[in-house]
Amino acid sequence: MDQNQRSTSLSASRIHQLHPSRSAITDLFNLYLGRNSRHSGDDSIRETPNKLQKRITALGFGLPPPNEQFILDFEQLVNQVPDQEHLRAVTESVLIALVVKCCNHAPRTEFILFALRSLHSIEYVNWDTFLPALLSSVSSAESSQGQGNQATNANSLNNMTQSGIITSSAVVANSSNFQPSTPASPLASIHGIGSPAQSASELTPCTTISPIRFPDVSGNGLQITQRPALRDNAVSCLRQISCKIILIGLESDLKPVTHADIFSHMMNWLVNWDQRQQVSDESKGVKSWKPDRVLHEWLHCCLDVVWLLVDENKCRIPFYELIRSGLQFIESIPDDEALFTLVLEIHRRRDMVAMQMQMLDQHLHCPSFGNPRFMSQASPSTVGEPSANTRYSPITYPSVLGEPLHGEDLALSIQKGSLDWERALRCLRHALRTTPSPDWWRRILLVAPCYKHAHQQQQVPTPGAIFSSEMVYESLIDRIMELLKLTTSDSQCWQEWLIFSDVFFFLMKSGCVDFLDFVDKLASRVNQEDPQILRSNHVTWLLAQIIRIEIVTNALNSDPKKVETTRKILSFHKEDKSSDPNNVNPRSILLDFISSSQTLRIWSINTSIRDYLNPEQLQKGKQIDEWWKQVTKGERMVDFMNFDERSIGMFWILSYTMAQPACEAVMNWLTAPGIAELIPGSNVQTNERVTVMRECCPLSMSLLSGLSINACLKLVYQIEESLFVGQVIPSIAMVETYVRLLLIHPHSLFRSHFPALIQRSSGTGPSILSKPGATLLLLEILNYRLIPLYRYHNKSKALMHDVTKIISSMKGKRGDHRVFRLAENLCMNLIFSLRDFFVVKKELKGPSEFTETLNRVAILSLAITIKTRGISEVEHLMFLPSLIEQIMATCQHTWSEKTLRYFPSLIRDHLTGRMDKRVLATQAWQQAETTVINQCKQLLSPSADPSYVMTYINHSFLEHRKYLCTGAWMLMHSHPDTINFANLGCVLRGIPPEEVTSNIYQMVDVLLLHTHTELQHGRPLPDILLKASGNLAVFVWKHELFPLDILILALIDRDDDPHALRIVISLLDRPEILQRIKLFCINRGPPEHWLHSGISKRTDLQKALGNHLSWKERFPPFFDDLAGRLLPVIPLVVYRLIENDVIEIADKILAGYSSFLAYHPMRFTFVRDILAYFYGHLSSKLIVRILKVLDVSKIPFSESFPQHIASSNPAMCPPPDYFATLLLGLVNNVMPSLNTKSKSGSVGDAANNSFRGGHNKTPAPSQSGSTNVSEGQKAFYQCQDPGTYTQLVLETATIELLALPASPPQIVSSLVQIVVHVQPTLIQSSNGLQGASTAIGSTLPTSPSGGSTESLSTSRSNPSASGINCANFVSRSGYTSQQLSCLFIQACGLLLAQLPTEFHAQLYLEVSRIIKECWWLTDGKRPMKELDSAVGYALLDPTWAAQDNTSTPIGNIVALLHAFFSNLPQEWLEGTHSILKHLRPVTSVAMLRVAFRIMGPLLPRLSFGRSLFTKTLVLLLNVMADVFGRNSQPSTPCEATEIVDLIDFLHHALLYEGQGGPVQTTSKPKPETLILCAKAIEMLRPDVQHLLFHIQTDPNSSIYAATHPKLGQNPSQ
């Protein structure tokens, strides 16, 4: 109740107390109650005495009159009062006061009940005003009583619950957050109703002012300020009579708001039934509960009221309100069968709602990291996070109502060993094996508690957190133990240790791990399991990596248990005395000396613990020093190229012991060749000397990989100092070494360069990037070396914004073409590297700051991303129109119909109506042509004065200057030998770069226009195109006047003209460009630049960049080249050729440029995206050509894949064994592994271990048709595109399916059939057919029909119908058949979610067909009970069904759909409701339940996209109408009560959407959703409509409308 309502109530109560007739009414009631009169009547009444007045004013010491006389006496009194409405209000007020006073007097309460009935019959008691006022007064009275006993009841008041879910007209007093305890959910101690805990401000008790308070009661009334026992008894009596009155009131038709008020108070009383009954047991010293008789009586009355409210015949309150009330979680249930029965019923129906919200195999759903994009399982708004919060929740925990939840307090409440705990560890273990983006770790982890206390005075739980520190520690230790078990003398897992050390260093430095606590837990774990597992010094080496981190050093210095911690650290030291002295390698030397290095470090931190250190290790440290002195021998430089393996190992250990000398040795090597003076070009007029470092060999990856991460950090810092601050231009070897260090340790060494360099120079003078050459060098490193690293870190968008700032600042600046074009080219590469939604400006306001070229590229990139990968978040869908408007605000381009037809509809719809500005551009040229030609003749004549160049630049108009190249081309077309190209080049170099771009675009438009004019004059087209191409070649190659990449982009954008692409092809076929590309490949060396070990040759500036970009430039290029600028352009040429159906030419371009495309930083992504973008429009020949762009030997294609794509029969689909093997590859390399103690153990063991995650998969032997498996982890630099080996395997499987000649229906059908038959097939594979039959005939039921095998397939077929060759299939996976079958379902869902929407539509058709053909859904002769049992079995989790061989096709199909849904981006969820359309018409309750079970788990995600949510919800109601519609004829008669659980779920979905997250006490459905649902409900039968009675907007019928702040105030709605 708000403040206005509260004031109104207070004023009304005072008016009623002062009303003239109040005394007479009170005296009348006192007479019949046998109570003393107050002797204070109204004067006007005394003046006209009658029999009634005399009887009232007489002393009433005798028996009261008979009850039958009361109504007559009251009517006589009524006739004397003119204002009947006020009299009614006064009567109700008096009655409420008497109820409170006489509640513990049985005869008087009987009369009050009689009076209420009688007065209601003559309309002098209105239940809708009386009952809320009564309950408000009762709450006030209890509150007053609580204040009298505040000391004894303080604790109980603080623990009371706010159980009323519907907002009542009178706020219930004494409410607070209820914290239940139930073993049914890990959230028990946090959320009573499955929702985030309310804040203190929302839970402040609020008491409504009442006309009567206990201290005002006198006479024979109740004295409540005395003994506690009497007070408790009075409360019980008051509640009992209140319930009896409510029961009388419920016999009438009350308003929904009254029902809501009553329900709210009843829930509060029931939840807090024991708050005043706690007494102290002095003998035992503990507290016990002793409910008395009166308590049981009012409890039963209260329960009667509740049952009447939720009675489904009347449906006054939806039963769902009981489910979310929290009543079932009261901490102490009294020994009362009635209340226990209600609680059990609530639990039963709550479980059904929770089941609908959760996916099948919910505990197996875990990110595979095969897809680099982040897709949150729950919106940040569900827990109150701001939209800008960058936290990410890869998993969520199901609440008691099945809702997805997360948060730090929630993660801390997860019990160790529970399914949710194991699921969290499975996610972390998989992350530590697959090394997802460091950005993922930043988004999901928290600062360790020990470090959090140091930085924050007050602890505030992090809303988005899902992993506790304990989970992180356990997963890290699990990974260490796992690697220790794999580390043997024969295994090659050094790479895995290096990768893990990089992640471990990153986590430790980020403060996510408490070092002291971690060491303690690790030592304890090693001692508990097997101390002998430490057969090597890997753990010591791992700790040595982090021991120099500042927070680790501080922790060791401040540790009160220094000695104990030191002993634990030293306990990991192991001496490998059995090693072969002849088998010396760098790794063995490092592990042999690492104990000594660590011992020296510990001693340096704390010299007082020397007594506990091993003297031998201290002495051994001297050997390192002696070796180093011997190697240097007083010389300044160490020859790394002549290092043998022992020297490499010793240098590695030197980096751990003395990092600075090691770094100095590397820097000396890189600078030792000395410096040389760079001869400036003939165009450079300066006396400034330019010196450059002479070249040497860069350090190899093998040498750098063994250095300590601490030394690498120091080395990176020193190289950066030399690269960007030094006065000498660095060598290519130094740059390559710098890049290799960043690639070796992508977690530990990465930094965003622009912010880092700006911060580095802050406060010390001008910015580093303002130094000449520094920006150029940084842009080259980023463009040609580090784009994949930035994408891996999810920093491409931030880098794009940083580079855009550079471009924006130079748009109108004359000169600086080199920096501008390099930044623009980098931005193009970044835009195409993005595989997710991006914004061109962070604030989404104002026009784009992109150039015209980048605007066009941005639209193309968005189209490719949306069509091939979808839009992952609702917010991105909302922002898309604004983003397109931003880009197009400054973009002059109009795309052709041939291009638009391939665009996704989201973009095509925005661009289709865009005005074509080409006609206006043509008109503008025709108007300016004469002036432009005259100016060009004056500027470009052979005899033109060179000084006129500056005059032209300074004084010509922009609208004329933008046609400079056009005028030059026109003059050249007529008189090619009379053009002064020197002047033209000077002007183009002297105007801003964006003006050059505009010139190129305008020239292309006029060139194409001129071509049509020439054709009309009868000239042959080949001659026209040949001359045009030749003239352009003069501009680009002979005189190098403007960049080739911009020219080609301008031409392919004009694909509306049939001649534009032909000119592009002729340009790309010219010998000049082919020769430049050949030289580029020779100079660059192998595409894997990190493997190049020779001395690099620096390319001449003018030869590399041409006259236009090298003019007056002094700084030599490192990697930049005109040919390299074409890398992002050639793929766009191929796209445009395919769009125009020029397939043969596209094949020719790919063949000619395949070796060049090997240098593309994202060529794997290019292949994947082009196959998905044009799926269904590519010939088999072109698909094979596209695949040849890849280095097939390094891609894990299936061995039989080349045979299938080369098949002469495109209609032939690969056999099921091929698809099963493809899924097996995903299970082994992509899906998070399951943990069992024995992979070949019994099914029971698998179940008992709850499929816990662990590294228990063994690589499968290579067999015919098998997928190449990983040979251990791959470092990032080995798999830069797509980023991780996990992503590579998943994307490769996607490419295979996209490249197959088979159609989507064939592919989808093959995959779905594997899922349908997966469990019986795999059981047959592992046990043989006889073993499978034995298992099926076990005592556990396999089907609802009593042990038959019919339910195992849709058509009662043999399990081998899937067509899979079962031989050794399970053994190749490393799992039991039951585990593998569940992982197959998950892998299939993941794979299908990567494919374009054409496959999704076929999936929905196929699964609908299988469901509808299931025999037990179509067999009308089966009894209803058996069908219900069948549904129950079919919708069990396949994980649990697998353990007793009770798998059904329906369960597998629904699990597949849920796995598929969980991996779909938000945009692609739009098509999910088509499943319901395919399933219709639904003719049975069983099919209806299947439909709800399929769509139920989707609703939490759909609720954030309102249109899709309402569409799906209305469709579910339509499906319900198929069975329960007014005119429906189901196969079997069914009652509405059979689907009460579905009714509960619909209520829950409405409130979930209204809240925008987990349902809370204040949740309300959205009015617009109520309106849509109300219309859909009209189609249902009356008995079903009755159960959904409250889902409407009429406040006179619906409690939701009546209590809604908008609808309740507007009854007309």
Side-chain angles (χ1 to χ4, degrees), residues 504-698:
F504 186 60
F505 187 96
F506 167 75
L507 296 179
M508 188 66 70
K509 188 175 183 180
S510 302
C512 299
V513 180
D514 181 349
F515 175 75
L516 300 178
D517 196 17
F518 175 79
V519 169
D520 180 66
K521 287 180 168 59
L522 178 60
S524 176
R525 178 75 170 273
V526 170
N527 292 329
Q528 286 177 3
E529 290 198 2
D530 181 13
Q532 299 302 317
I533 198 173
L534 290 174
R535 294 188 294 269
S536 65
N537 248 347
H538 284 83
V539 174
T540 300
W541 165 80
L542 185 66
L543 296 179
Q545 289 277 32
I546 64 170
I547 203 166
R548 292 181 183 270
I549 299 177
E550 182 180 359
I551 58 176
V552 174
T553 303
N554 293 340
L556 288 172
N557 284 328
S558 60
D559 183 16
K561 302 179 181 179
K562 291 184 177 68
V563 175
E564 183 179 350
T565 302
T566 302
R567 286 178 174 176
K568 290 177 180 178
I569 294 175
L570 298 179
S571 68
F572 300 122
H573 292 188
K574 293 296 174 183
E575 297 293 333
D576 189 7
K577 299 181 180 179
S578 61
S579 60
D580 184 2
N582 297 322
N583 184 20
V584 177
N585 58 68
R587 185 177 70 250
S588 63
I589 293 175
L590 173 63
L591 295 177
D592 183 30
F593 279 87
I594 196 64
S595 298
S596 173
S597 175
Q598 189 186 71
T599 301
L600 292 172
R601 176 58 182 166
I602 294 174
W603 185 22
S604 67
I605 294 175
N606 191 344
T607 56
S608 63
I609 60 173
R610 177 171 182 175
D611 294 340
Y612 304 97
L613 302 179
N614 187 345
E616 296 181 5
Q617 296 298 341
L618 296 177
Q619 291 297 323
K620 199 171 185 179
K622 295 182 179 180
Q623 297 182 30
I624 304 171
D625 188 52
E626 292 173 358
W627 172 85
W628 181 240
K629 292 179 180 179
Q630 182 180 1
V631 169
T632 55
K633 294 180 181 179
E635 298 179 4
R636 183 170 176 269
M637 189 191 75
V638 177
D639 187 1
F640 289 102
M641 294 300 104
N642 292 321
F643 264 14
D644 57 12
E645 291 198 336
R646 184 177 184 279
S647 298
I648 294 175
M650 294 301 291
F651 188 72
W652 285 359
I653 197 63
L654 177 73
S655 69
Y656 287 86
T657 308
M658 297 179 289
Q660 189 56 39
C663 295
E664 290 175 358
V666 173
M667 293 302 296
N668 290 338
W669 166 261
L670 296 174
T671 58
I675 60 175
E677 185 174 349
L678 191 66
I679 301 175
S682 58
N683 298 319
V684 179
Q685 304 296 327
T686 179
N687 296 323
E688 183 181 352
R689 296 179 58 195
V690 178
T691 55
V692 60
M693 293 182 186
R694 299 182 187 274
E695 289 299 331
C696 64
C697 295

